[in-house]
Amino acid sequence: MTLQQIKYILGVAECGSLNKASEKLFISQPSLSASVHDAEDELGFQIFNRTARGVKVTERGANFIRDARDFYAHYERFLKKFTGSEKKRFSVSALYYAFARKAFVEIVKDFSDEEYDFSFCERKASLVIADVALGKSEIGILYLSDSNRDSISKSLKSNNLDFHHLTECNAFVYLHEKHPLAKKESVSLDELSAYRFVTFDTDDVKSFFPEDVIERYGLDKAITVADRSTELNLLKTLDGYTFLSGVFAEETNEDFVLVPLQNPDDGQSHSFELGYITKSGLKMDEISLSYIDAIRRILNIAGFLC
């Protein structure tokens, strides 16, 4: 098996789709599929189960991918060291949190005199986990809820990652100030069902709400966007809504408001645990510790609702 094949397998596992992986890896889908098949034949077991919706990692495949990630990360460090291209870097992968971006900007300023390659990526939860597991990011920012705790915890364990608690937060509805519900003290999912739901990531919604709640209130019919400006425009022009934690920085548009989301009658909680992930047993360096300190300082100074 070649290093290239390992790279392809890790790419498919991250994307969950041969088609998406082929675009990211700049290889045709037939060639990528053939390369993965050859590797599976050599190993004597399937790494992926192919379905109409993409690929799913098998149980043995998950074990292989976990070790392959560590192996490939060691290879990349080895290559950088002996090709003279080794350079300090600091990378963060996070859900769409303004406080995470603000803290990152502070760190870039504080460490600008040192030779660092900086990177900040806003991703959905599964890709945040993959980035840290692959060594692409030193730190990942995400949350645990009643709905996603088991699945996220299982994924973290299988990838040798640790979750570190930051704070507990509650769900809020984010609306334009002229939205019919904007002046209410709190809003229920029943009241929101008459309006359009806008989100960056439908998978993230599935991890926050149970499937029956998603179907009952039409959260599976969301308008998905790729950037903040488009989201704000849709919230304003369509009387749309989205969900936030109440944890946001001063960059939030003054024309929009946060209204607490009511818990449904079935007792399902809309609170969640905000935290960051790192590789298990890894001692955090100075810049990583400074970043987490910046997050704690921002959350505290800004008086966030959490």
Side-chain angles (χ1 to χ4, degrees), residues 34 51 115 117 164 178 180 187 196 206 214 226 229 235 272 281:
T51 70
E115 289 296 319
D117 281 333
H164 309 272
K178 294 184 179 179
V187 176
R196 299 300 299 271
K206 293 175 184 176
I214 292 174
S229 61
L235 296 184
F272 58 93

Side-chain angles (χ1 to χ4, degrees), residues 254-289:
E254 294 180 356
D255 296 332
F256 293 81
V257 298
L258 283 171
V259 181
L261 176 65
Q262 297 176 15
N263 286 332
D265 295 335
D266 59 14
Q268 174 71 26
S269 173
H270 289 325
S271 65
F272 58 93
E273 180 182 7
L274 185 69
Y276 63 96
I277 60 173
T278 61
K279 286 192 173 182
S280 298
L282 181 67
K283 184 177 180 180
M284 294 176 67
D285 57 13
E286 179 187 1
I287 192 169
S288 297
L289 291 172

Side-chain angles (χ1 to χ4, degrees), residues 116-139:
Y116 272 96
D117 281 333
F118 292 101
S119 175
F120 183 86
C121 299
E122 293 185 314
R123 319 269 265 163
K124 62 183 182 180
S126 60
L127 295 182
V128 170
I129 292 172
D131 281 354
V132 179
L134 287 168
K136 293 181 178 179
S137 290
E138 283 68 47
I139 293 174

Side-chain angles (χ1 to χ4, degrees), residues 98-116:
F99 73 84
R101 296 193 296 274
K102 178 176 170 59
F104 189 80
V105 171
E106 288 190 12
I107 293 304
V108 172
K109 290 179 180 178
D110 290 344
F111 287 81
S112 60
D113 292 337
E114 302 185 32
E115 289 296 319
Y116 272 96

Side-chain angles (χ1 to χ4, degrees), residues 25 41 67 77 80 104 114 128 138 142 159 187 203 206 213 226 236 256 268 283 291:
L25 295 167
D41 288 342
D67 291 343
R77 288 193 293 270
K80 287 179 180 179
F104 189 80
E114 302 185 32
V128 170
E138 283 68 47
L142 44 72
N159 286 291
V187 176
D203 287 343
K206 293 175 184 176
V213 171
K236 178 180 180 179
F256 293 81
Q268 174 71 26
K283 184 177 180 180
Y291 178 69

Side-chain angles (χ1 to χ4, degrees), residues 119-187:
S119 175
F120 183 86
C121 299
E122 293 185 314
R123 319 269 265 163
K124 62 183 182 180
S126 60
L127 295 182
V128 170
I129 292 172
D131 281 354
V132 179
L134 287 168
K136 293 181 178 179
S137 290
E138 283 68 47
I139 293 174
I141 309 293
L142 44 72
Y143 70 84
L144 300 178
S145 69
D146 287 349
S147 296
N148 78 353
R149 188 176 297 272
D150 288 344
S151 61
I152 293 292
S153 297
K154 183 178 179 181
S155 180
L156 294 177
K157 183 178 180 180
S158 66
N159 286 291
N160 294 319
L161 302 176
D162 290 334
F163 179 87
H164 309 272
H165 173 84
L166 282 171
T167 187
E168 297 283 341
C169 296
N170 295 314
F172 287 75
V173 183
Y174 195 47
L175 307 164
H176 188 262
E177 62 180 0
K178 294 184 179 179
H179 192 285
L181 302 176
K183 297 188 181 302
K184 292 180 65 68
E185 291 186 1
S186 63
V187 176

